[in-house]
Amino acid sequence: MTDIQTLAIRTAAKLDLTDDTAEDALETYIRQIEALESREIDRGNISDDDAAFLIESMVQAQRSGDLGQRQLATLEDLMPQVQAAQDTLETMEQQRNAAIREALSAGARVKDVAAASGLSRQRVEQIRAQ
């Protein structure tokens, strides 16, 4: 017999998951078993047979790619925002670099441009050379 926390720790170690992730997944599988078999599973006293079944279910779920689906969906939802931010960053860096070259061409000192831009003198020199 085992409890859900201990089972989660064992499962997490076996599948390289966080303990919380393993416990959430185990809880999902326990609820499914309870619904299908019309029985209650005591989270503080899980039988060895149920524990073995739950661990094997988790192993199979990981192999088939069923674990982490919520997190993958979140990642997919974030990617357009990440791409937009990267595009904005690229545009802003181009504008900054143009402003640095203009300031240097107008006679500003490298150390003053570096201070104003928050960049190192070496980076300002690299931008000038581009």
Side-chain angles (χ1 to χ4, degrees):
M1 297 289 203
T2 189
D3 61 79
I4 193 166
Q5 289 84 18
T6 303
L7 187 58
I9 292 167
R10 285 182 20 213
T11 306
K14 181 174 183 143
L15 300 178
D16 194 26
L17 305 171
T18 65
D19 295 350
D20 289 340
T21 297
E23 187 170 343
D24 287 347
L26 288 168
E27 183 61 41
T28 298
Y29 283 115
I30 289 171
R31 283 194 307 271
Q32 289 174 354
I33 292 169
E34 289 174 332
L36 288 171
E37 297 181 5
S38 300
R39 66 181 175 107
E40 290 278 326
I41 296 176
D42 180 359
R43 274 58 167 179
N45 198 18
I46 299 171
S47 73
D48 292 340
D49 286 343
D50 283 341
F53 178 81
L54 288 164
I55 290 173
E56 184 57 27
S57 296
M58 294 276 296
V59 168
Q60 293 304 318
Q62 188 178 49
R63 283 187 187 145
S64 68
D66 290 341
L67 296 181
Q69 292 302 305
R70 269 192 325 238
Q71 293 80 2
L72 286 172
T74 299
L75 177 60
E76 288 173 353
D77 289 346
L78 288 173
M79 289 316 298
Q81 294 172 47
V82 169
Q83 186 60 53
Q86 287 174 333
D87 292 345
T88 300
L89 175 61
E90 185 177 326
T91 299
M92 297 307 295
E93 284 179 336
Q94 290 171 356
Q95 290 176 4
R96 178 205 61 201
N97 293 351
I100 287 171
R101 285 189 288 276
E102 287 178 26
L104 292 170
S105 294
R109 298 181 305 173
V110 170
K111 80 178 214 175
D112 294 332
V113 172
S117 65
L119 299 174
S120 68
R121 292 180 191 176
Q122 295 82 2
R123 182 66 183 127
V124 170
E125 291 289 357
Q126 288 174 342
I127 292 168
R128 180 198 313 231
Q130 292 175 342

